[in-house]
Amino acid sequence: MSDRVEGGHGGGVPDVGAGQIDDDVARVAHVVELVDHRSLEDVQRLLVIRRMKPLGFTLDEMRALRAALDRIAAAATSGQGAADARGVLAEFHRRAEDSCARLRTQLAYAEELTTILGEHATGA
């Protein structure tokens, strides 16, 4: 009995048992899970950067915030390490709030200007 089964394109495919297929599926599922988890982390990192950029944070500050978030997320972080990371996050939170307030003011000015220009453009 051959250990290969002929495929439609003339090449051979290994003849494997159900146990081997189950093992292969489990391995592939594990790899996909790892890739999905890593991809999710990458997306989350990019979202943090995207959210920080309009608020005027530098790349170094973005890295510092990401490091603080990572320390808090790490199961081993406790005690002073977690407290320090939370202190960093509190400062970033305060600065983000200040930036949001400035942006709200700028948006209000822009909306006022848009209204004035619209009134003049339509002759109202």
mmCIF file of all heavy atoms in Angstrom, residues 39-69:
data_model
loop_
_atom_site.group_PDB
_atom_site.id
_atom_site.type_symbol
_atom_site.label_atom_id
_atom_site.label_comp_id
_atom_site.label_asym_id
_atom_site.label_seq_id
_atom_site.Cartn_x
_atom_site.Cartn_y
_atom_site.Cartn_z
ATOM 1 N N SER A 39 -1.082 40.470 16.614
ATOM 2 C CA SER A 39 -1.641 41.480 15.731
ATOM 3 C C SER A 39 -2.520 42.445 16.515
ATOM 4 O O SER A 39 -2.491 43.649 16.278
ATOM 5 C CB SER A 39 -2.460 40.826 14.621
ATOM 6 O OG SER A 39 -1.629 40.029 13.817
ATOM 7 N N LEU A 40 -3.291 41.918 17.449
ATOM 8 C CA LEU A 40 -4.143 42.767 18.281
ATOM 9 C C LEU A 40 -3.295 43.728 19.103
ATOM 10 O O LEU A 40 -3.612 44.914 19.203
ATOM 11 C CB LEU A 40 -5.020 41.907 19.189
ATOM 12 C CG LEU A 40 -5.963 42.657 20.119
ATOM 13 C CD1 LEU A 40 -6.923 43.521 19.316
ATOM 14 C CD2 LEU A 40 -6.730 41.691 20.996
ATOM 15 N N GLU A 41 -2.196 43.237 19.658
ATOM 16 C CA GLU A 41 -1.295 44.109 20.415
ATOM 17 C C GLU A 41 -0.722 45.206 19.515
ATOM 18 O O GLU A 41 -0.636 46.361 19.914
ATOM 19 C CB GLU A 41 -0.158 43.306 21.037
ATOM 20 C CG GLU A 41 -0.574 42.474 22.221
ATOM 21 C CD GLU A 41 0.581 41.655 22.775
ATOM 22 O OE1 GLU A 41 1.699 41.704 22.221
ATOM 23 O OE2 GLU A 41 0.355 40.952 23.768
ATOM 24 N N ASP A 42 -0.332 44.822 18.288
ATOM 25 C CA ASP A 42 0.215 45.806 17.358
ATOM 26 C C ASP A 42 -0.825 46.869 17.015
ATOM 27 O O ASP A 42 -0.511 48.057 16.969
ATOM 28 C CB ASP A 42 0.700 45.133 16.075
ATOM 29 C CG ASP A 42 1.945 44.288 16.293
ATOM 30 O OD1 ASP A 42 2.626 44.478 17.334
ATOM 31 O OD2 ASP A 42 2.229 43.432 15.444
ATOM 32 N N VAL A 43 -2.057 46.441 16.789
ATOM 33 C CA VAL A 43 -3.128 47.387 16.470
ATOM 34 C C VAL A 43 -3.360 48.316 17.650
ATOM 35 O O VAL A 43 -3.512 49.531 17.486
ATOM 36 C CB VAL A 43 -4.423 46.643 16.079
ATOM 37 C CG1 VAL A 43 -5.619 47.580 16.038
ATOM 38 C CG2 VAL A 43 -4.247 45.949 14.741
ATOM 39 N N GLN A 44 -3.369 47.765 18.864
ATOM 40 C CA GLN A 44 -3.571 48.601 20.037
ATOM 41 C C GLN A 44 -2.447 49.630 20.195
ATOM 42 O O GLN A 44 -2.692 50.777 20.550
ATOM 43 C CB GLN A 44 -3.697 47.740 21.294
ATOM 44 C CG GLN A 44 -5.007 46.977 21.337
ATOM 45 C CD GLN A 44 -5.059 45.980 22.477
ATOM 46 O OE1 GLN A 44 -4.044 45.542 22.993
ATOM 47 N NE2 GLN A 44 -6.273 45.597 22.850
ATOM 48 N N ARG A 45 -1.225 49.221 19.918
ATOM 49 C CA ARG A 45 -0.096 50.155 19.991
ATOM 50 C C ARG A 45 -0.258 51.277 18.970
ATOM 51 O O ARG A 45 -0.032 52.449 19.276
ATOM 52 C CB ARG A 45 1.228 49.434 19.757
ATOM 53 C CG ARG A 45 1.644 48.570 20.913
ATOM 54 C CD ARG A 45 2.937 47.806 20.584
ATOM 55 N NE ARG A 45 3.239 46.864 21.614
ATOM 56 C CZ ARG A 45 3.868 47.162 22.741
ATOM 57 N NH1 ARG A 45 4.267 48.387 22.964
ATOM 58 N NH2 ARG A 45 4.112 46.240 23.644
ATOM 59 N N LEU A 46 -0.664 50.920 17.760
ATOM 60 C CA LEU A 46 -0.862 51.933 16.730
ATOM 61 C C LEU A 46 -1.999 52.890 17.089
ATOM 62 O O LEU A 46 -1.923 54.086 16.825
ATOM 63 C CB LEU A 46 -1.132 51.273 15.378
ATOM 64 C CG LEU A 46 0.054 50.560 14.753
ATOM 65 C CD1 LEU A 46 -0.374 49.796 13.512
ATOM 66 C CD2 LEU A 46 1.168 51.542 14.419
ATOM 67 N N LEU A 47 -3.041 52.357 17.709
ATOM 68 C CA LEU A 47 -4.160 53.217 18.114
ATOM 69 C C LEU A 47 -3.734 54.208 19.186
ATOM 70 O O LEU A 47 -4.167 55.370 19.177
ATOM 71 C CB LEU A 47 -5.330 52.368 18.609
ATOM 72 C CG LEU A 47 -6.100 51.624 17.516
ATOM 73 C CD1 LEU A 47 -7.156 50.719 18.135
ATOM 74 C CD2 LEU A 47 -6.729 52.597 16.532
ATOM 75 N N VAL A 48 -2.887 53.777 20.110
ATOM 76 C CA VAL A 48 -2.389 54.702 21.136
ATOM 77 C C VAL A 48 -1.607 55.826 20.461
ATOM 78 O O VAL A 48 -1.799 57.005 20.768
ATOM 79 C CB VAL A 48 -1.528 53.970 22.188
ATOM 80 C CG1 VAL A 48 -0.760 54.959 23.057
ATOM 81 C CG2 VAL A 48 -2.402 53.075 23.051
ATOM 82 N N ILE A 49 -0.760 55.477 19.513
ATOM 83 C CA ILE A 49 0.025 56.485 18.797
ATOM 84 C C ILE A 49 -0.905 57.425 18.040
ATOM 85 O O ILE A 49 -0.764 58.649 18.093
ATOM 86 C CB ILE A 49 1.038 55.819 17.838
ATOM 87 C CG1 ILE A 49 2.120 55.111 18.653
ATOM 88 C CG2 ILE A 49 1.633 56.835 16.871
ATOM 89 C CD1 ILE A 49 3.005 54.191 17.844
ATOM 90 N N ARG A 50 -1.880 56.853 17.347
ATOM 91 C CA ARG A 50 -2.810 57.677 16.575
ATOM 92 C C ARG A 50 -3.584 58.641 17.470
ATOM 93 O O ARG A 50 -3.864 59.774 17.098
ATOM 94 C CB ARG A 50 -3.786 56.788 15.809
ATOM 95 C CG ARG A 50 -4.664 57.591 14.853
ATOM 96 C CD ARG A 50 -5.685 56.751 14.195
ATOM 97 N NE ARG A 50 -6.820 56.676 15.112
ATOM 98 C CZ ARG A 50 -7.915 56.016 14.868
ATOM 99 N NH1 ARG A 50 -8.025 55.315 13.776
ATOM 100 N NH2 ARG A 50 -8.904 56.005 15.726
ATOM 101 N N ARG A 51 -3.921 58.207 18.659
ATOM 102 C CA ARG A 51 -4.670 59.053 19.583
ATOM 103 C C ARG A 51 -3.790 60.114 20.243
ATOM 104 O O ARG A 51 -4.267 61.190 20.587
ATOM 105 C CB ARG A 51 -5.328 58.183 20.650
ATOM 106 C CG ARG A 51 -6.444 57.336 20.082
ATOM 107 C CD ARG A 51 -6.974 56.364 21.104
ATOM 108 N NE ARG A 51 -8.009 55.534 20.530
ATOM 109 C CZ ARG A 51 -8.170 54.254 20.802
ATOM 110 N NH1 ARG A 51 -7.366 53.657 21.662
ATOM 111 N NH2 ARG A 51 -9.137 53.566 20.231
ATOM 112 N N MET A 52 -2.518 59.819 20.424
ATOM 113 C CA MET A 52 -1.624 60.755 21.106
ATOM 114 C C MET A 52 -1.098 61.844 20.170
ATOM 115 O O MET A 52 -0.865 62.962 20.607
ATOM 116 C CB MET A 52 -0.445 60.005 21.720
ATOM 117 C CG MET A 52 -0.836 59.130 22.897
ATOM 118 S SD MET A 52 0.578 58.278 23.608
ATOM 119 C CE MET A 52 1.303 59.617 24.573
ATOM 120 N N LYS A 53 -0.924 61.514 18.909
ATOM 121 C CA LYS A 53 -0.309 62.452 17.959
ATOM 122 C C LYS A 53 -1.065 63.776 17.887
ATOM 123 O O LYS A 53 -0.450 64.839 18.001
ATOM 124 C CB LYS A 53 -0.202 61.784 16.589
ATOM 125 C CG LYS A 53 0.592 62.590 15.601
ATOM 126 C CD LYS A 53 0.829 61.772 14.361
ATOM 127 C CE LYS A 53 1.383 62.590 13.241
ATOM 128 N NZ LYS A 53 2.730 62.844 13.199
ATOM 129 N N PRO A 54 -2.395 63.803 17.706
ATOM 130 C CA PRO A 54 -3.080 65.097 17.622
ATOM 131 C C PRO A 54 -3.053 65.890 18.932
ATOM 132 O O PRO A 54 -3.315 67.091 18.940
ATOM 133 C CB PRO A 54 -4.519 64.750 17.256
ATOM 134 C CG PRO A 54 -4.600 63.289 17.110
ATOM 135 C CD PRO A 54 -3.286 62.693 17.479
ATOM 136 N N LEU A 55 -2.722 65.227 20.018
ATOM 137 C CA LEU A 55 -2.665 65.910 21.311
ATOM 138 C C LEU A 55 -1.287 66.518 21.567
ATOM 139 O O LEU A 55 -1.044 67.102 22.615
ATOM 140 C CB LEU A 55 -3.045 64.952 22.438
ATOM 141 C CG LEU A 55 -4.472 64.389 22.344
ATOM 142 C CD1 LEU A 55 -4.747 63.431 23.497
ATOM 143 C CD2 LEU A 55 -5.508 65.494 22.304
ATOM 144 N N GLY A 56 -0.364 66.356 20.612
ATOM 145 C CA GLY A 56 0.933 67.002 20.698
ATOM 146 C C GLY A 56 2.008 66.234 21.439
ATOM 147 O O GLY A 56 3.054 66.791 21.756
ATOM 148 N N PHE A 57 1.788 64.951 21.715
ATOM 149 C CA PHE A 57 2.806 64.154 22.403
ATOM 150 C C PHE A 57 3.926 63.793 21.432
ATOM 151 O O PHE A 57 3.690 63.544 20.255
ATOM 152 C CB PHE A 57 2.200 62.879 22.986
ATOM 153 C CG PHE A 57 1.290 63.124 24.157
ATOM 154 C CD1 PHE A 57 -0.085 63.103 24.007
ATOM 155 C CD2 PHE A 57 1.805 63.374 25.421
ATOM 156 C CE1 PHE A 57 -0.928 63.331 25.086
ATOM 157 C CE2 PHE A 57 0.977 63.610 26.506
ATOM 158 C CZ PHE A 57 -0.397 63.584 26.334
ATOM 159 N N THR A 58 5.155 63.757 21.954
ATOM 160 C CA THR A 58 6.310 63.375 21.141
ATOM 161 C C THR A 58 6.404 61.854 21.074
ATOM 162 O O THR A 58 5.760 61.137 21.843
ATOM 163 C CB THR A 58 7.619 63.921 21.755
ATOM 164 O OG1 THR A 58 7.840 63.240 23.009
ATOM 165 C CG2 THR A 58 7.550 65.427 21.961
ATOM 166 N N LEU A 59 7.246 61.374 20.172
ATOM 167 C CA LEU A 59 7.452 59.922 20.063
ATOM 168 C C LEU A 59 8.023 59.345 21.357
ATOM 169 O O LEU A 59 7.635 58.259 21.779
ATOM 170 C CB LEU A 59 8.364 59.589 18.885
ATOM 171 C CG LEU A 59 7.736 59.757 17.502
ATOM 172 C CD1 LEU A 59 8.776 59.513 16.417
ATOM 173 C CD2 LEU A 59 6.550 58.831 17.314
ATOM 174 N N ASP A 60 8.937 60.070 21.988
ATOM 175 C CA ASP A 60 9.493 59.589 23.256
ATOM 176 C C ASP A 60 8.406 59.487 24.321
ATOM 177 O O ASP A 60 8.384 58.539 25.113
ATOM 178 C CB ASP A 60 10.614 60.508 23.738
ATOM 179 C CG ASP A 60 11.897 60.333 22.932
ATOM 180 O OD1 ASP A 60 12.055 59.261 22.306
ATOM 181 O OD2 ASP A 60 12.724 61.260 22.943
ATOM 182 N N GLU A 61 7.505 60.453 24.341
ATOM 183 C CA GLU A 61 6.407 60.400 25.308
ATOM 184 C C GLU A 61 5.460 59.240 24.999
ATOM 185 O O GLU A 61 4.967 58.576 25.911
ATOM 186 C CB GLU A 61 5.643 61.730 25.305
ATOM 187 C CG GLU A 61 6.456 62.863 25.892
ATOM 188 C CD GLU A 61 5.834 64.220 25.657
ATOM 189 O OE1 GLU A 61 5.168 64.430 24.612
ATOM 190 O OE2 GLU A 61 6.013 65.096 26.536
ATOM 191 N N MET A 62 5.253 58.994 23.712
ATOM 192 C CA MET A 62 4.413 57.857 23.328
ATOM 193 C C MET A 62 5.032 56.548 23.803
ATOM 194 O O MET A 62 4.340 55.665 24.306
ATOM 195 C CB MET A 62 4.214 57.835 21.806
ATOM 196 C CG MET A 62 3.395 58.974 21.284
ATOM 197 S SD MET A 62 3.298 58.912 19.477
ATOM 198 C CE MET A 62 2.691 60.558 19.122
ATOM 199 N N ARG A 63 6.341 56.445 23.657
ATOM 200 C CA ARG A 63 7.044 55.240 24.128
ATOM 201 C C ARG A 63 6.934 55.111 25.646
ATOM 202 O O ARG A 63 6.730 54.018 26.176
ATOM 203 C CB ARG A 63 8.510 55.283 23.713
ATOM 204 C CG ARG A 63 8.763 54.795 22.309
ATOM 205 C CD ARG A 63 10.252 54.610 22.037
ATOM 206 N NE ARG A 63 10.922 55.855 21.697
ATOM 207 C CZ ARG A 63 10.988 56.372 20.483
ATOM 208 N NH1 ARG A 63 10.426 55.764 19.482
ATOM 209 N NH2 ARG A 63 11.629 57.500 20.263
ATOM 210 N N ALA A 64 7.077 56.222 26.350
ATOM 211 C CA ALA A 64 6.986 56.196 27.814
ATOM 212 C C ALA A 64 5.593 55.770 28.270
ATOM 213 O O ALA A 64 5.450 54.963 29.206
ATOM 214 C CB ALA A 64 7.336 57.570 28.386
ATOM 215 N N LEU A 65 4.571 56.272 27.602
ATOM 216 C CA LEU A 65 3.202 55.876 27.945
ATOM 217 C C LEU A 65 2.989 54.398 27.660
ATOM 218 O O LEU A 65 2.438 53.666 28.478
ATOM 219 C CB LEU A 65 2.178 56.709 27.167
ATOM 220 C CG LEU A 65 0.727 56.275 27.369
ATOM 221 C CD1 LEU A 65 0.301 56.454 28.817
ATOM 222 C CD2 LEU A 65 -0.192 57.045 26.444
ATOM 223 N N ARG A 66 3.461 53.949 26.491
ATOM 224 C CA ARG A 66 3.316 52.538 26.118
ATOM 225 C C ARG A 66 4.033 51.652 27.148
ATOM 226 O O ARG A 66 3.521 50.602 27.546
ATOM 227 C CB ARG A 66 3.935 52.360 24.733
ATOM 228 C CG ARG A 66 3.361 51.399 23.761
ATOM 229 C CD ARG A 66 1.906 51.304 23.760
ATOM 230 N NE ARG A 66 1.540 50.077 24.433
ATOM 231 C CZ ARG A 66 0.324 49.630 24.577
ATOM 232 N NH1 ARG A 66 -0.677 50.275 24.085
ATOM 233 N NH2 ARG A 66 0.076 48.522 25.223
ATOM 234 N N ALA A 67 5.217 52.064 27.582
ATOM 235 C CA ALA A 67 5.971 51.287 28.572
ATOM 236 C C ALA A 67 5.211 51.211 29.888
ATOM 237 O O ALA A 67 5.150 50.150 30.524
ATOM 238 C CB ALA A 67 7.355 51.897 28.794
ATOM 239 N N ALA A 68 4.598 52.326 30.298
ATOM 240 C CA ALA A 68 3.814 52.321 31.539
ATOM 241 C C ALA A 68 2.606 51.405 31.408
ATOM 242 O O ALA A 68 2.293 50.637 32.331
ATOM 243 C CB ALA A 68 3.370 53.741 31.888
ATOM 244 N N LEU A 69 1.937 51.453 30.265
ATOM 245 C CA LEU A 69 0.790 50.562 30.037
ATOM 246 C C LEU A 69 1.223 49.097 30.052
ATOM 247 O O LEU A 69 0.544 48.240 30.619
ATOM 248 C CB LEU A 69 0.108 50.895 28.709
ATOM 249 C CG LEU A 69 -0.654 52.219 28.665
ATOM 250 C CD1 LEU A 69 -1.064 52.549 27.229
ATOM 251 C CD2 LEU A 69 -1.866 52.168 29.585
#
